Structure formats: C-alpha cells, structure tokens
Amino acid sequence: MSALKKMLLFSGSIRSNSVNAYLLKAIQTIGKDVFEFVNYSELQNLPYFNPEIGDDHLPWEVEDLRNAIASADVLLICTPEYVFSLPGILKNALEWTVSTMVFDMKPCIPITASSLGEKAHESLLLILRTMGARIEDDWSIHIPGAKTKISSHGEITDSDLLHRIKQMLNSVSNALN
Ligand SMILES: Cc1cc2nc3c(=O)[nH]c(=O)nc-3n(C[C@H](O)[C@H](O)[C@H](O)COP(=O)(O)O)c2cc1C
C-alpha cells in the first residue's frame, strides 16, 4: 500500500465557530483513508510581512511556514471573504512566500466558504496562479451561503457540495498518484 499523501490545511478564519473550520473537519473525515492531514494553525502568529527582511534574518515562524508548505504534497486553503477580499492573516502568510518558489507547481485546492465570497475566491485564484501553483478546474470550489451547507458538527448538509468535495478529493488523489 502506498503512503498517504500529506495535505496541509489552512483556514483563513480563526473564529471559534468558523464554518471554514467545520468544512475542514468534514474534509478530513471524508478523506482520511487517502490523505494524511496536517493543520497549519499559526497564521495569527506570523509577523507582518516586511519585504526588507531578507532570508538571512527570517523570523523562525516564517521559516516554519515555508518548510510546512514545501514538505506537503498538496495544500488546501479554505477561507471566508472579508470586505470583498481575503482575510488579512491569510494574505499576510501568502505575502511571506512570494519571493520563494514554494508554490511553484505545488498542487493547491482553493476553497472560499463565505456568505458571498466571489471576490475573495477570484483573488485567491489569482494569487496562487501568480505564484505558480497547480490548480485543476475541479479543485477550485466557491461556496456562497456556506453556513446553510455545513453544520457545526463538521458535516456537509448540502448534497451538491458533498458531491463536489468528494469529486475534488478523488481528482487530487488521482493527480498525486
Ligand atoms: C469583518 C467582516 C467582513 C465580512 N465581509 C464579507 C464579505 O465581504 N463577503 C462575504 O461573503 N462575507 C463577509 N463577511 C461574512 C463572513 O464571510 C461570514 O461570517 C463567514 O461565515 C466567516 O467565515 P467563518 O465562519 O469561517 O469565520 C464578513 C464578516 C466579517 C466579520
């Protein structure tokens, strides 16, 4: 049996009752036989991006972030939209990787789970593609009205969404093998 592929999970929300966190929980349940999931939970502990800080003086938190991305087989970024854009803590983390190659050809799953979320999803796709990430069409999932589709028990209650998530996990698994 081949080793499980490592999927690094990011949530753009650090709220305690986050629908994005509930969705990540659901995805971990659905994909547990195929992926080893690792939650990256340090977004709020990263310093603010400063382009004047070179690699020689990199804060250890940033090194950890870059290493975590580099060592993952695939990344999943699940985020809400805040004022028609990405949450600042997620954008900050992405800015810390811009001068590196850690996203180059890295398989990435962009998910925006929000009330609306269209602008944030467009922005997330643009940023990841600009950094060279590999994103297949069926990996990109925009979920408007997320709170009506995902329960606080970490269950996807919307059958179309459940189908899309399963299809996405299958597609990613096939692409990595
Ligand atoms: C400061 C703030 C700004 C928001 N702006 C938007 C927005 O522009 N578009 C949108 O779809 N939802 C917006 N929302 C609603 C959030 O997307 C929604 O509450 C979502 O469930 C938050 O994700 P979470 O449950 O994972 O924390 C905003 C929420 C907050 C707190």
Side-chain angles (χ1 to χ4, degrees):
M1 204 175 95
S2 63
L4 300 184
K5 298 293 179 186
K6 192 197 281 189
M7 186 182 290
L8 186 65
L9 306 175
F10 292 85
S11 172
S13 172
I14 54 173
R15 215 165 59 81
S16 47
N17 292 317
S18 161
V19 72
N20 282 273
Y22 297 147
L23 178 55
L24 288 179
K25 190 175 167 198
I27 288 171
Q28 288 173 86
T29 304
I30 295 165
K32 66 181 184 321
D33 295 332
V34 180
F35 297 98
E36 174 198 351
F37 294 102
V38 179
N39 277 287
Y40 180 83
S41 52
E42 301 298 322
L43 284 185
Q44 68 271 38
N45 297 324
L46 290 171
Y48 290 125
F49 175 62
N50 178 349
E52 289 184 329
I53 300 178
D55 284 353
D56 294 347
H57 299 94
L58 213 56
W60 66 266
E61 296 92 337
V62 177
E63 276 191 42
D64 275 4
L65 168 72
R66 291 179 181 180
N67 290 336
I69 293 171
S71 67
D73 295 302
V74 53
L75 311 181
L76 188 155
I77 301 176
C78 190
T79 185
E81 178 174 81
Y82 283 170
V83 251
F84 300 109
S85 188
L86 292 182
I89 55 164
L90 177 58
K91 180 75 170 10
N92 183 51
L94 294 171
E95 285 169 4
W96 275 116
T97 68
V98 164
S99 65
T100 74
M101 297 296 283
V102 286
F103 272 92
D104 194 42
M105 293 308 291
K106 179 69 72 178
C108 282
I109 304 158
I111 301 181
T112 306
S114 204
S115 309
L116 302 169
E118 194 179 333
K119 297 286 179 200
H121 199 62
E122 275 174 22
S123 175
L124 183 58
L125 280 170
L126 179 61
I127 292 168
L128 293 176
R129 287 197 169 122
T130 301
M131 295 197 294
R134 174 184 176 188
I135 305 167
E136 302 296 335
D137 287 346
D138 57 355
W139 301 358
S140 166
I141 303 180
H142 168 216
I143 311 168
K147 284 182 181 166
T148 65
K149 299 172 182 172
I150 300 147
S151 83
S152 58
H153 303 293
E155 283 163 356
I156 298 170
T157 52
D158 180 277
S159 57
D160 288 346
L161 177 60
L162 182 60
H163 178 71
R164 282 206 67 191
I165 294 286
K166 286 181 175 172
Q167 195 177 40
M168 174 275 288
L169 289 172
N170 255 333
S171 169
V172 174
S173 168
N174 289 338
L176 295 181
N177 283 321

